[in-house]
Amino acid sequence: KIKGLLFDLDGVLVDTAVYHYKAWLRLAKTMGFTFSELQNEELKGISRMDSLDKVLAWGNVQKSAEEKLALATQKNDWYVEMINKMTPAEVLPGALNFLQQAKQAGYKMALGSASKNSATILKNTNLAHFFDAIVDGNSVSKSKPDPEVFLKGAQELALQPQQCVVFEDAEAGIIAAKRGGMKAIGIGDKNILKQADKVVAGLGQLSVKNLEEL
Ligand code: BG6
Ligand code: MG
């Protein structure tokens, strides 16, 4: 029986995926290249440094470790500028309602995000109070598709992986959930989130009652 819900943040609860995309694109442009929205899908769910490596490879650019750190910092400064201005209005359609329903139904809830900026986002959008545990980029050492972030989430909720459902918009995140032994609900496109147990366009398309059918 499902007792715990593990939520990815970017692209599931809030629309920060577009801010990540804007900041990476801006960085790529400073190096004289650009990349597509489809390529951007590959950046979803993976860590900042792993994202940078992919972006640099697309531009055929080589950088030293020191230069990479400076580039990642620049990207993050631009990103933080955008998320500092976020408001509760940027919670994705249906997400707030779903979190409220789930809380009322007694599910335990954890955040399972790759981001090191989750605290800022949760604070500005007023979502922090829903979570019994927060596992993010500051507390994991392996990036999705490694299941570490969700295994830690389940553990902090004192639940077995099989008792948990993961909500994810990234292919890497769905793979992480399945490797961890959890159910996975994809938020987005069926053709991209192939391994998910169920895919919906947004949390607004889902009711807490659907969790019993998984
Ligand atoms: C994930 C995003 O939630 O966080 C990725 O989907 C991002 O695109 C990753 O790279 C790390 O985020 P941050 O905020 O630590 O740079
Ligand atoms: Mg995401």
Side-chain angles (χ1 to χ4, degrees), residues 11-156:
V12 170
L13 301 176
V14 291
D15 197 9
T16 41
V18 27
Y19 296 144
H20 278 296
Y21 183 37
K22 277 189 186 164
W24 283 124
L25 211 52
R26 185 170 171 187
L27 192 76
K29 283 182 182 158
T30 65
M31 295 180 278
F33 65 95
T34 156
F35 61 89
S36 72
E37 226 175 308
L38 193 65
Q39 283 175 302
N40 186 60
E41 283 298 317
E42 292 180 43
L43 303 182
K44 291 186 178 175
I46 66 171
S47 72
R48 195 181 307 163
M49 291 317 278
D50 288 353
S51 300
L52 177 62
D53 283 335
K54 277 194 186 265
V55 171
L56 292 176
W58 292 333
N60 240 315
V61 177
Q62 260 117 49
K63 296 284 179 190
S64 69
E66 203 181 331
E67 288 168 323
K68 280 195 207 175
L69 206 60
L71 287 166
T73 303
Q74 173 64 271
K75 182 267 172 179
N76 192 57
D77 288 348
W78 287 330
Y79 178 69
V80 168
E81 232 171 73
M82 292 186 269
I83 61 169
N84 274 342
K85 293 186 214 141
M86 281 182 87
T87 70
E90 284 170 83
V91 173
L92 282 166
L96 186 64
N97 190 266
F98 189 86
L99 289 169
Q100 283 164 343
Q101 271 188 40
K103 193 97 195 156
Q104 221 157 33
Y107 288 102
K108 291 203 226 170
M109 301 201 263
L111 193 80
S113 167
S115 176
K116 295 188 172 174
N117 293 299
S118 77
T120 305
I121 297 167
L122 291 178
K123 179 171 160 282
N124 289 351
T125 55
N126 238 328
L127 293 178
H129 64 97
F130 285 108
F131 299 100
D132 304 296
I134 289 181
V135 183
D136 71 6
N138 300 298
S139 44
V140 295
S141 56
K142 283 167 271 169
S143 202
K144 300 170 189 174
D146 189 283
E148 182 185 9
V149 64
F150 296 132
L151 290 173
K152 271 202 169 168
Q155 197 176 27
E156 290 198 21

Side-chain angles (χ1 to χ4, degrees), residues 138-198:
N138 300 298
S139 44
V140 295
S141 56
K142 283 167 271 169
S143 202
K144 300 170 189 174
D146 189 283
E148 182 185 9
V149 64
F150 296 132
L151 290 173
K152 271 202 169 168
Q155 197 176 27
E156 290 198 21
L157 296 181
L159 296 172
Q160 296 301 314
Q162 310 83 264
Q163 296 176 297
C164 297
V165 181
V166 167
F167 299 85
E168 258 292 349
D169 70 315
E171 192 186 12
I174 296 286
I175 296 170
K178 297 316 295 175
R179 281 193 196 160
M182 296 118 191
K183 297 280 184 198
I185 295 188
I187 308 294
D189 185 339
K190 267 210 286 299
N191 300 312
I192 294 170
L193 308 173
K194 295 184 202 77
Q195 296 194 36
D197 294 290
K198 182 182 175 77

